[in-house]
Amino acid sequence: MVSLVLRYLNYLIGAAFTFVLLIALWGTVSELITNPPAESAAEEYHLEPKPLHLASDGPFGHWDKQQLQRGFQVYKEVCSACHSLRHVAFRDLEQLGYTGPEVKAIAEQWQIEQPDVNPDTGEADTRPNRPADHFPLPFPNEVAAKAANNNAVPPDLSLMVKAREGGAAYIHSLITGYRDQPKELLAQFPTAKTPPGLHYNPYFPTLNLAMPPPLTSAGQVQYADGTEATVDQMATDVAAFLTWTAEPDKIKRHQVGYAAVLFILIFCGLTFGAYKNIWRDKKH
């Protein structure tokens, strides 16, 4: 008898708890229906990346090595002042068409040297980069990075194409998307004025970012192959280069995939032929 009472008491407590939860849920839902949250400036004025077509796109894409070298030149002369490329080694540049001596010269002439220890004194020292070294960090630590970039740490660019929705198209749109804040935005959202030290860019999720426009005028980089260095061209080239740094084996994987698919097709054909040969004289 006591166990039966306890059982019904548990049922009653559970039902009461469920009822209270339903009341709370209904209150929340009804509030959202009657008073929907106001749309923020970021939600209304944020733009999706513009389409970008690269030679490496699609299952039959390929690396345009001239474009990758131009993109590396943009990174070297513009982006490397703030952004690291710590997952890439100098010797990886041979995949872009540079020769061994050229890679060695690039490593040795890189502005920032590798940290080292003086073997005579044991004190911190530096040495020239070698092809086997990864690209050095532009700042010794996060404190120095923040101090030089309006209290924001510039992200590493090695995997940026994979880390951001939109990939290379996002990078291209972001670089070329700086503009004055629209008057309509300020009229609709007076408190959304871009803070001092930040820059308005509708392709950035919050609309305002600490990085100033990296590419400001045509000819900012003098391409070694003579290509006209417009802002759009430089942005496209560096986006292509960062696509390679994020997936250097992309084209090779596609080629292996072609071979695998061809093997499967041939195997299926042989299997079907064997099946027909074995069962051709059999009656069902």
Side-chain angles (χ1 to χ4, degrees):
M1 184 66 178
V2 175
S3 61
L4 184 62
V5 172
L6 290 176
R7 182 183 304 173
Y8 282 115
L9 183 60
N10 288 335
Y11 290 156
L12 182 61
I13 294 173
F17 184 71
T18 303
F19 180 70
V20 172
L21 286 179
L22 288 174
I23 292 176
L25 179 61
W26 172 250
T28 302
V29 172
S30 61
E31 177 66 21
L32 290 175
I33 294 174
T34 56
N35 296 305
E39 191 172 21
S40 67
E43 292 175 336
E44 184 165 343
Y45 286 88
H46 176 257
L47 300 179
E48 294 299 320
K50 297 174 291 186
L52 180 67
H53 303 288
L54 300 175
S56 58
D57 291 343
F60 301 103
H62 66 280
W63 294 126
D64 182 343
K65 292 187 176 180
Q66 276 197 320
Q67 184 175 54
L68 296 182
Q69 289 187 15
R70 293 197 302 268
F72 169 65
Q73 188 177 348
V74 174
Y75 168 76
K76 177 183 177 182
E77 298 184 18
V78 180
C79 309
S80 64
C82 298
H83 295 276
S84 57
L85 209 63
R86 59 191 177 89
H87 294 295
V88 182
F90 286 101
R91 62 186 174 191
D92 294 334
L93 296 178
E94 292 187 20
Q95 298 179 32
L96 308 188
Y98 291 104
T99 64
E102 286 175 333
V103 170
K104 184 179 180 181
I106 290 172
E108 291 177 346
Q109 296 168 5
W110 200 258
Q111 185 177 3
I112 301 171
E113 296 187 332
Q114 291 289 335
D116 201 359
V117 175
N118 189 313
D120 299 324
T121 64
E123 295 180 353
D125 200 357
T126 59
R127 62 166 174 78
N129 295 285
R130 304 182 185 119
D133 291 325
H134 284 69
F135 282 82
L137 302 178
F139 302 101
N141 50 59
E142 286 193 4
V143 176
K146 288 182 178 181
N149 293 279
N150 197 27
N151 205 36
V153 179
D156 180 81
L157 297 183
S158 307
L159 305 176
M160 188 57 62
V161 166
K162 302 295 291 182
R164 296 291 184 269
E165 184 178 359
Y170 166 78
I171 291 175
H172 173 267
S173 296
L174 184 74
I175 292 175
T176 59
Y178 289 88
R179 62 193 67 174
D180 293 332
Q181 199 170 28
K183 295 180 180 179
E184 311 86 67
L185 185 153
L186 294 176
Q188 187 176 354
F189 303 97
T191 60
K193 183 176 176 61
T194 299
L198 299 185
H199 307 271
Y200 179 79
N201 192 316
Y203 296 100
F204 193 68
T206 62
L207 303 183
N208 303 303
L209 71 164
M211 181 178 74
L215 301 175
T216 56
S217 61
Q220 188 172 340
V221 173
Q222 296 295 321
Y223 281 139
D225 64 359
T227 300
E228 183 181 0
T230 63
V231 171
D232 185 78
Q233 182 68 57
M234 291 185 286
T236 301
D237 293 340
V238 77
F241 171 69
L242 294 179
T243 299
W244 171 78
T245 64
E247 292 186 281
D249 297 327
K250 175 181 178 180
I251 305 303
K252 186 178 294 184
R253 286 203 318 272
H254 288 178
Q255 293 171 347
V256 172
Y258 307 150
V261 171
L262 180 61
F263 171 79
I264 291 173
L265 292 176
I266 294 174
F267 179 77
C268 289
L270 293 175
T271 303
F272 180 74
Y275 165 79
K276 298 293 288 186
N277 184 57
I278 292 173
W279 293 95
R280 68 174 182 269
D281 297 328
K282 306 297 181 183
K283 293 183 179 180
H284 298 286

